[in-house]
């Protein structure tokens, strides 16, 4: 809290975040224009190209647009033989399972890292970063041997466990910073006011961390959604996710099919981005953990 | 109406002793301040009273009954922190009503009591505001209302006047004192600020290094500090060593006569007089206890002038009138009024040894 002057001064309330909708200075306006332009150029335009490609039937150099249009690629996507829907269903199940597991494992861990000091804390933080530093391929090769013995290969649960490895660092970093920012005083206040631990979590902790939890969960979801190598190795090719369906097309000649599948693949990411953008803007503590990377 | 008794209360963290065998009885309706520098164990003590922390040994009694086995949520010792005051996702009314909701009070009754208590803290008609829409002072009063509305056995406050400017401090102090005495609540607060402690508390308990140093009414710490460290914490570092015989003390700068109320064994002693009680001797002043001094620096403070002077090899601080003019190196005579002379136990050496040992 900032130093207070008079109780009547409502203006003294600190602004929790930078509100870009306020009247901006010329400098802020320019920053916003550049940001918006960058998003359009780097994210919007490639999407437009993909959409055009997915409806193209004949599109040869040097034509600016396809010379013949058609829905053949989309018909292929809808066909069972393409395994797109199977992949979509598996990817969705998998991403939800990974997210759930990340919450179960990561929430207590991030709370400990965010709110407590203990021996070996920096070592644990360093170990947590390892999956980001060490290529997933290396770790997964080793895990593969163990999973064969444990009969976890080619199973949904086995693949989900491996997806947890790259997902946990992001989940824990985001949530640890949320917990650190939120502190323990509010929970202790609630305890002294007569709330037991369960009610403290329900009425105080959960509402306070929920927006951060939403963002961390969506990161986890997207990390699982984008996994290719780990899924291929542990799933053994028989557990088909969307990236597994998509990747062969990327090196193939059929650009229209690749574009259509890519659009199916990228759709959840766009939806998640739109849903979380408001939370990211509002709660600056959510992004705080990334300062550590 | 609850009296609190702390008996041989200790808390260790590994090898580190945060609180050592603390004994203190707090009367029902009394307001006591735990005062001390950060890390002195005052907050640890407070947390043991709430039950958020279990004592390593010793006991906490409310009305003569041990409460150490009663969990925080059923102990009725309500804590008001200085930071993170309000639940951010709740509005003012929900914040204030939280304790009542936890106690299972019905909604109508909650609303009635919330309205009532918000009037008491002079914040009516703010029920639907969110925490971040209030000023710091308003948040502090809402937090106080939230604690008071459950009629706690003991009210615990963490630096209740910190972060408030001088004017708001006086208002808030008055508010806390009025409500506390009206409701007859036993209140305990912690602070590192001696001004905050003496402004608000009936009695002050001063702690250093986990050990209770002195307990008493606020003026005792100014007029009758037990040790040199206590005196220094209350901004008095005027010390003059000497040898006491009866009511006379022989010092570097001549004999000093003590008042009858100063009791100490004959032998080596350390004399002190607060900076604001030292007089500048002139021809009209009494001839007793006049000591020669050399001015080392003169600092104009607006309301007064602060002199740093050397008396018999010790550095003294003297609060002189603002109109006083002098310069470095000037010779001057101070008069040490008999009724303000006091003998302190010298613990500065033992403190230095403690630091060296650790």
């Amino acid at each position: 809290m900032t130093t207070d002057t008079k109780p009547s001064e409502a203006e003294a309330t600190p602004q929790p975040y930078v509100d870009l909708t306020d009247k901006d200075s010329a400098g802020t306006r320019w920053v916003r224009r550049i940001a918006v332009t960058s998003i359009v150029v780097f994210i919007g335009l490639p999407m437009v190209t993909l959409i055009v490609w997915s409806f193209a039937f004949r599109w040869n150099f040097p034509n600016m647009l396809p010379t013949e249009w058609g829905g053949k690629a989309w018909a292929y996507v809808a066909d069972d033989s393409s395994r797109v829907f199977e992949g979509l269903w598996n990817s969705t199940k998998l991403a939800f399972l990974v997210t759930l597991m990340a919450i179960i494992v990561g929430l207590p861990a991030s709370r400990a890292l965010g709110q407590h000091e203990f021996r070996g804390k920096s070592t644990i933080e360093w170990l947590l970063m390892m999956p980001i530093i060490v290529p997933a391929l290396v770790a997964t090769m080793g895990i593969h041997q163990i999973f064969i013995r444990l009969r976890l290969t080619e199973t949904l649960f086995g693949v989900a466990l491996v997806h947890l490895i790259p997902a946990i660092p992001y989940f824990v970093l985001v949530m640890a910073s949320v917990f650190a920012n939120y502190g323990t005083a509010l929970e202790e206040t609630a305890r002294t006011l007569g709330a037991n631990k369960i009610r403290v979590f329900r009425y105080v902790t959960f509402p306070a961390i929920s927006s951060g939890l939403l963002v961390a969960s969506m990161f986890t979801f997207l990390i699982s959604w984008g996994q290719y190598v780990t899924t291929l190795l542990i799933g053994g090719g028989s557990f088909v996710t969307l990236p597994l369906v998509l990747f062969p097309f990327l090196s193939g000649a059929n650009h229209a099919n690749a574009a259509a599948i890519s659009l199916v693949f990228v759709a959840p990411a766009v939806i998640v981005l739109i849903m979380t953008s408001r939370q990211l803007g509002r709660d600056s503590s959510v992004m705080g953990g990334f300062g550590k990377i | 109406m609850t009296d609190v008794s702390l008996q041989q209360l200790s808390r260790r963290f590994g090898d580190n002793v945060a609180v050592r065998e603390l004994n203190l009885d707090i009367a029902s309706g009394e307001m006591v301040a735990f005062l001390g520098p950060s890390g002195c164990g005052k907050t640890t003590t407070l947390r043991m009273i709430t039950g958020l922390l279990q004592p390593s040994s010793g006991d906490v009694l409310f009305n003569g009954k041990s409460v150490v086995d009663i969990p925080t949520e059923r102990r009725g010792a309500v804590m008001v922190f200085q930071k993170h005051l309000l639940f951010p996702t709740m509005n003012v009314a929900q914040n204030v009503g939280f304790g009542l909701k936890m106690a299972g009070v019905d909604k109508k009754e909650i609303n009635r009591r919330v309205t009532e208590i918000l009037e008491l803290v002079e914040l009516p008609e703010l029920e639907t505001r969110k925490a971040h829409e209030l000023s710091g002072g308003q948040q502090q009063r809402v937090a106080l209302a939230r604690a008071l509305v459950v009629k706690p056995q003991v009210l615990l406050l963490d630096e209740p006047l910190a972060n408030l400017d001088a004017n708001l401090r006086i208002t808030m102090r008055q508010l806390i004192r009025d409500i506390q005495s009206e409701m007859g609540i036993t209140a305990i607060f912690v602070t590192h600020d001696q001004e905050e402690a003496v402004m608000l508390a009936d009695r002050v308990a001063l702690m250093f290094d986990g050990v209770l140093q002195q307990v008493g009414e606020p003026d005792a710490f100014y007029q009758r500090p037990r040790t040199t460290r206590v005196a220094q914490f209350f901004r008095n570092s005027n010390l003059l060593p000497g040898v006491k015989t009866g009511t006379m003390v022989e010092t570097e700068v001549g004999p000093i006569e003590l008042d009858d109320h100063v009791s100490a064994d004959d032998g080596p002693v350390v004399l002190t007089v607060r900076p604001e009680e030292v007089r500048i001797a002139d021809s009209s002043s009494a001839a007793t206890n006049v000591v020669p001094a050399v001015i080392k620096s003169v600092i104009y403070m607006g309301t007064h002038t602060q002199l740093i002077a050397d008396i018999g090899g010790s550095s003294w601080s003297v609060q002189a009138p603002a109109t006083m003019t002098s310069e470095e190196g000037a010779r001057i005579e101070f008069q040490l009024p008999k009724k303000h002379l006091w003998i302190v136990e010298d613990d500065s050496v033992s403190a230095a040894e403690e630091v060296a040992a650790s």
Side-chain angles (χ1 to χ4, degrees):
Chain A
M1 194 188 310
T2 51
T3 316
D4 188 66
T5 46
K6 292 185 190 72
S8 58
E9 277 186 9
E11 298 83 20
T13 313
Q15 286 293 311
Y17 59 95
V18 181
D19 189 352
L20 291 177
T21 59
D22 272 359
K23 279 176 231 141
D24 302 327
S25 66
T28 324
R29 266 204 305 277
W30 269 108
V31 169
R32 198 168 62 195
R33 275 178 202 160
I34 293 166
V36 170
T37 311
S38 308
I39 290 169
V40 169
V41 170
F42 292 109
I43 298 174
L45 286 182
M47 294 280 285
V48 172
T49 316
L50 278 180
I51 292 167
V52 172
W53 255 122
S54 74
F55 287 104
F57 187 65
R58 200 180 298 280
W59 190 3
N60 295 323
F61 183 81
N63 296 318
M64 281 295 287
L65 284 170
T67 44
E68 280 179 58
W69 298 79
K72 215 181 146 199
W74 288 104
Y76 176 76
V77 164
D79 194 79
D80 274 353
S81 67
S82 73
R83 303 185 82 180
V84 171
F85 279 112
E86 186 192 345
L88 188 64
W89 173 234
N90 278 341
S91 281
T92 309
K93 268 195 302 190
L94 189 59
F96 272 113
L97 181 62
V98 172
T99 308
L100 184 71
M101 284 159 69
I103 291 171
I104 293 167
V105 177
L107 213 53
S110 48
R111 184 190 174 97
L113 286 171
Q115 295 185 336
H116 300 287
E117 293 303 323
F118 50 87
R119 202 168 291 175
K121 182 176 170 177
S122 55
T123 312
I124 290 173
E125 282 175 332
W126 182 75
L127 281 172
L128 266 173
M129 300 306 296
M130 288 307 282
I132 298 175
I133 301 159
V134 177
L137 186 66
V138 178
T140 314
M141 294 287 265
I143 289 167
H144 190 218
Q145 298 299 316
I146 298 163
F147 274 23
I148 287 171
R149 252 171 261 166
L150 295 172
R151 296 170 191 279
L152 281 169
T153 49
E154 299 181 27
T155 64
L156 173 70
F157 185 67
V159 178
L161 269 181
V162 168
H163 282 195
L164 261 188
I165 298 169
I168 281 286
Y170 293 96
F171 183 90
V172 171
L173 277 178
V174 172
M175 288 316 293
S177 105
V178 169
F179 275 116
N181 187 53
Y182 154 70
T184 54
L186 285 174
E187 291 180 359
E188 293 185 339
T189 304
R191 285 292 303 283
T192 68
L193 283 165
N196 61 28
K197 285 179 180 171
I198 294 164
R199 294 174 113 189
V200 168
F201 186 81
R202 180 177 158 196
Y203 291 111
V204 180
T205 314
F206 186 74
I209 64 163
S210 60
S211 68
L213 185 61
L214 183 68
V215 170
S217 298
M218 290 195 172
F219 279 153
T220 308
F221 190 93
L222 289 180
I223 288 165
S224 166
W225 190 261
Q227 289 295 309
Y228 174 72
V229 176
T230 50
T231 317
L232 187 66
L233 277 169
I234 302 298
S238 64
F239 188 81
V240 177
T241 61
L242 214 47
L244 261 59
V245 177
L246 171 65
F247 276 37
F249 281 96
L250 296 181
S251 54
N254 196 331
H255 294 303
N257 283 1
I261 300 170
S262 294
L263 282 170
V264 174
F265 179 63
V266 86
V270 174
I271 294 166
V272 164
L273 188 73
I274 293 165
M275 282 172 71
T276 48
S277 60
R278 281 187 62 212
Q279 302 290 346
L280 288 174
R282 180 168 304 166
D283 191 350
S284 57
S285 71
V286 169
M287 296 306 286
F290 285 92
K292 289 184 182 175
I293 296 178
Chain B
M1 290 303 211
T2 308
D3 61 69
V4 177
S5 179
L6 310 178
Q7 298 184 344
Q8 294 290 103
L9 196 62
S10 299
R11 174 69 206 199
R12 285 178 292 278
F13 294 103
D15 296 335
N16 177 25
V17 183
V19 176
R20 193 189 297 266
E21 290 167 14
L22 192 147
N23 290 296
L24 187 66
D25 289 320
I26 298 160
S28 175
E30 193 180 21
M31 182 162 235
V32 169
F34 278 101
L35 174 67
S38 68
C40 74
K42 58 189 191 296
T43 305
T44 305
T45 306
L46 204 67
R47 292 167 64 83
M48 287 193 280
I49 298 170
T50 61
L52 290 166
L53 194 68
Q54 282 298 105
S56 302
S57 61
D59 209 348
V60 179
L61 292 88
F62 288 1
N63 288 332
K65 288 195 190 86
S66 173
V67 293
V68 288
D69 293 327
I70 299 176
T72 304
E73 63 266 25
R74 286 194 274 123
R75 202 175 279 195
V78 177
M79 178 91 191
V80 180
F81 285 93
Q82 177 234 322
K83 278 184 193 165
H84 298 286
L85 282 161
L86 303 179
F87 303 128
T89 51
M90 301 180 198
N91 66 25
V92 168
Q94 287 164 332
N95 258 287
V96 175
F98 183 81
L100 297 173
K101 186 176 168 184
M102 292 302 110
V105 177
D106 73 57
K107 272 197 181 132
K108 255 191 192 161
E109 176 70 5
I110 292 179
N111 288 340
R112 192 186 65 73
R113 280 167 70 177
V114 166
T115 311
E116 192 182 271
I117 202 86
L118 283 176
E119 264 165 38
L120 191 66
V121 297
E122 294 155 21
L123 279 181
E125 288 153 26
L126 285 179
E127 280 99 331
T128 56
R129 295 276 192 93
K130 280 276 169 84
H132 66 87
E133 295 172 323
L134 304 177
S135 73
Q138 287 172 327
Q139 289 187 26
Q140 215 145 7
R141 280 187 282 171
V142 173
L144 190 65
R146 182 181 59 194
L148 291 169
V149 79
V150 299
K151 299 201 168 75
Q153 300 230 44
V154 184
L155 177 65
L156 302 156
L157 306 158
D158 176 26
E159 308 201 356
L161 304 181
N163 292 340
L164 300 177
D165 71 13
N167 293 328
L168 203 54
R169 265 190 154 197
I170 305 282
T171 321
M172 193 68 188
R173 180 217 171 259
Q174 207 54 46
L175 185 78
I176 294 175
R177 293 292 334 214
D178 288 351
I179 294 171
Q180 188 248 346
S181 61
E182 190 179 313
M183 296 176 79
I185 289 174
T186 309
I188 302 168
F189 69 97
V190 296
T191 179
H192 64 270
D193 176 359
Q194 32 90 16
E195 186 189 88
E196 185 175 354
V198 301
M199 269 175 83
L200 203 53
D202 296 317
R203 273 197 308 156
V204 176
L206 181 64
M207 289 177 82
F208 293 141
D209 310 322
V211 178
L212 204 54
Q213 302 290 322
Q214 184 170 347
V215 184
E217 287 172 18
D219 74 310
F221 292 85
Y222 290 89
Q223 306 308 326
R224 300 179 297 282
R226 194 176 64 79
T227 66
T228 51
R229 265 181 100 188
V230 172
Q232 278 161 0
F233 194 81
F234 280 81
R235 295 181 190 159
N236 170 15
S237 41
N238 296 346
L239 303 171
L240 186 63
V243 179
K244 179 175 176 285
T245 323
T247 57
M248 294 302 288
V249 178
E250 197 57 51
T251 71
E252 267 310 275
V253 289
I256 304 287
E257 196 186 344
L258 295 174
D259 207 43
D260 301 332
H261 74 272
V262 183
S263 61
D265 292 338
D266 287 358
V269 291
V270 178
L271 291 175
T272 185
V273 181
R274 285 200 65 81
E276 56 273 23
E277 308 296 355
V278 178
R279 305 263 177 277
I280 292 157
D282 53 41
S283 52
S284 68
S285 44
T288 56
N289 296 353
V290 172
V291 294
V294 179
I295 304 280
K296 290 201 289 193
S297 70
V298 182
I299 309 156
Y300 178 67
M301 306 284 281
T303 54
H304 64 272
T305 297
Q306 173 118 345
L307 303 175
I308 309 292
D310 182 282
I311 299 180
S314 308
S315 178
W316 277 53
S317 164
V318 173
Q319 201 168 309
T323 51
M324 164 95 191
T325 52
S326 187
E327 59 192 35
E328 242 173 85
R331 292 185 178 278
I332 192 169
E333 285 190 325
F334 290 123
Q335 199 245 330
L336 312 179
K338 224 165 104 172
K339 64 171 181 177
H340 294 298
L341 267 162
W342 184 249
I343 286 175
V344 286
E345 186 186 307
D346 187 4
D347 62 352
S348 54
V349 178
S350 62
E353 273 172 0
E354 230 172 76
V355 171
S358 68

